[in-house]
Amino acid sequence: MSESLPPFRAPTGTHDVLAPESALWEGLVASFAEFAYRYGFSLVMTPIFEDVGVFTRGIGEESEVFQKEMYIFEDRGERRFALRPEGTASVVRAFVQHQPTTPWKAWYITPAFRYERPQAGRYRQHYQLGVEVLGTDDPAVDVEVIALANNFYAAIGLKNLRLLINSMGDEECRPRYIELLSEYLEAHQMELCDEHREMWRQNPLRVLDCKKEACIRVTSGAPMLIDHLCDNCRAHFDQVIAGLSAIGVESFLSPRLVRGFDYYTRTTFEFIAESLGNAQNAVGGGGRYDKLSEQLGGKATSGIGFGSGIERLLLARQAEGVVAPLLKRTLDVFVIDTTGGDSVTLLIEQLRAAGIATDRAYDQRSMKAQMRVADKSGARWALLVGPEELLAGEVTIRDLRSQDFEQTQQRVARSQTVSTVAHLVTK
Ligand code: HAM
């Protein structure tokens, strides 16, 4: 006898999603799609891998994601590709390529790949729901995108979220600010964490985001970009804040919020789930990227969007004790056929055509074995077709929840079965 081979497992930091959990995923995606359409977005799908340049130019070679977390590979044609670590750069690449009319509002669901140290809420493959709007820098769009996120989170039952907001300025005020910050960091470089003592010059803004005690201490006295915005960026930011408060969305200014990608300009924001404690608690984040289209070879086009991790949304919901309204993903009917033939095939097709979720047993198993499968299937009703029913042209309908099914079951004519069952399942 051959020895059995060790079974494969999903790669570290990835996960399979099976029922019943998958119904929660479906529910989230359906709800997000519903909100996206309500706000005027349509679905965009882009390839899961792109020329690596889409990400070097988009998210930045100095970004932590690019330096440490990218899945980069060469294909058989010796072209360098990367699995996408996030959705925005690919969507903007598609915008540049196809030049749809603006404003272009697109939503997406996508896996994203980052070689991170796996832990709860942080995976090497996670899934994001997101939207992007290209073609306008109107602060009303910033407000709309944040409102969409906010309303979606509320609709899926999350109550304990905090919206952090900041501005990353633009090409006028940010370089001036980076000089100021650099002077400050230079004067304090010996007090920075080990990594930033050496590396802060590569990307001084990143030091503001460093979670190490030493950097937090040093940067608490650092100049903050929000205090050094140019007039245009200041006015834009003020309009976003005013717009949010006009629709009753509470936001908290967070001057350290620089986010992980270089493409951000002006508005940046993050939704923090307070129920998740301090680690991996961002359930969504986004912002403006008014230069990204040009960086990817397109015309100057403003853009803004956000992405939300499905896994983190589910963790936050669990932490808040939200009982999710499950999409109905159970069977209505299980058909048991002991006549050994194909006599029920047509009936099953007719039931399904009438919108009744129907399943059956296979392999011509015994009545007892089929009943066991029916009980486990979650279906409320069993339809039985044995030799007797076959002869009489009838079907027995049994309520699987009834304690006394002999009393409650009924025989109906085959021609009446679909309408009778349809009536029962909608009762
Ligand atoms: P991000 O903040 O890197 O932004 O990711 C968005 C969300 O994806 C995070 O808030 C988090 O919920 C989830 N997430 C990120 N990394 C992981 C991970 N390793 N494991 C589990 N969940 C994760 C972006 O990706 C931008 N593209 C968002 C955006 C859209 N900005 C403008 N438009």
Side-chain angles (χ1 to χ4, degrees), residues 36 39 43 55-57 87 117 130 158 165 271 296 311 315 328 331 333 356 364 381 399:
Y39 278 78
L43 179 66
F55 304 111
T56 26
R57 286 201 249 153
R117 199 163 49 79
L158 292 175
I165 194 161
F271 283 87
L296 294 180
E311 296 84 349
L315 285 172
K328 187 189 153 293
L331 288 173
V333 170
I356 298 162
Q364 301 190 16
W381 308 96
D399 183 348

Side-chain angles (χ1 to χ4, degrees), residues 36 61 92 119 173 181 239 281 335 353 375 378 409:
E61 265 175 292
V92 177
Q119 52 186 273
C173 49
L181 177 65
Q239 285 179 69
N281 59 3
V335 177
D375 279 333
Q409 70 186 19

Side-chain angles (χ1 to χ4, degrees), residues 83-342:
L83 295 183
R84 66 163 158 247
E86 57 102 48
T88 311
S90 310
V91 171
V92 177
R93 194 271 311 137
F95 170 81
V96 168
Q97 182 173 338
H98 302 285
Q99 303 179 25
T101 46
T102 56
W104 186 57
K105 298 169 88 171
W107 75 274
Y108 52 87
I109 168 171
T110 181
F113 305 87
R114 301 183 189 178
Y115 191 82
E116 306 208 66
R117 199 163 49 79
Q119 52 186 273
R122 192 203 269 172
Y123 311 102
R124 292 188 176 161
Q125 175 174 341
H126 71 278
Y127 286 81
Q128 277 191 29
L129 295 163
V131 300
E132 311 293 347
V133 184
L134 279 121
T136 168
D137 67 354
D138 189 333
V141 179
D142 305 42
V143 174
E144 198 177 285
V145 164
I146 294 172
L148 189 167
N150 194 60
N151 292 335
F152 164 63
Y153 297 144
I156 62 170
L158 292 175
K159 294 195 176 68
N160 241 328
L161 299 187
R162 176 180 276 256
L163 166 60
L164 307 181
I165 194 161
N166 193 22
S167 174
M168 297 300 294
D170 65 6
E171 71 278 17
E172 188 188 332
C173 49
R174 191 163 29 177
R176 275 203 316 255
Y177 165 73
I178 289 178
E179 267 175 42
L180 261 181
L181 177 65
S182 300
E183 275 168 31
Y184 178 89
L185 292 177
E186 182 146 39
H188 294 83
Q189 58 185 335
M190 297 317 289
E191 301 154 48
L192 294 171
C193 76
D194 292 348
E195 186 186 345
H196 284 121
R197 204 176 307 138
E198 302 294 322
M199 312 273 282
W200 68 267
R201 272 195 185 80
Q202 278 182 18
N203 193 343
L205 285 170
R206 290 254 57 81
V207 184
L208 296 176
D209 195 34
C210 178
K211 304 287 182 282
K212 303 258 168 56
E213 198 51 52
C215 285
I216 293 175
R217 208 170 328 118
V218 173
T219 52
S220 62
M224 291 293 163
L225 181 46
I226 195 75
D227 302 318
H228 296 273
L229 295 176
C230 58
D231 290 349
N232 287 341
C233 287
R234 183 76 238 177
H236 191 275
F237 188 69
D238 289 346
Q239 285 179 69
V240 174
I241 298 297
L244 288 174
S245 87
I247 56 167
V249 175
E250 195 182 12
S251 62
F252 295 85
L253 177 66
S254 178
R256 284 170 179 275
L257 184 72
V258 294
R259 311 257 310 129
F261 306 124
D262 289 358
Y263 54 58
Y264 286 115
T265 52
R266 293 193 168 171
T267 314
T268 46
F269 59 92
E270 229 162 64
F271 283 87
I272 301 300
E274 297 189 317
S275 56
L276 291 180
N278 285 331
Q280 322 311 329
N281 59 3
V283 290
R288 276 208 161 271
Y289 42 83
D290 292 339
K291 296 282 146 199
L292 184 53
S293 167
E294 278 165 276
Q295 281 155 6
L296 294 180
K299 292 192 210 118
T301 312
S302 299
I304 181 165
F306 82 95
S308 225
I310 295 185
E311 296 84 349
R312 288 206 198 158
L313 290 171
L314 291 173
L315 285 172
R317 213 153 63 163
Q318 203 178 30
E320 285 195 24
V322 179
V323 182
L326 269 187
L327 283 182
K328 187 189 153 293
R329 286 295 179 256
T330 46
L331 288 173
D332 298 311
V333 170
F334 198 93
V335 177
I336 294 169
D337 169 23
T338 54
T339 64
D342 297 326

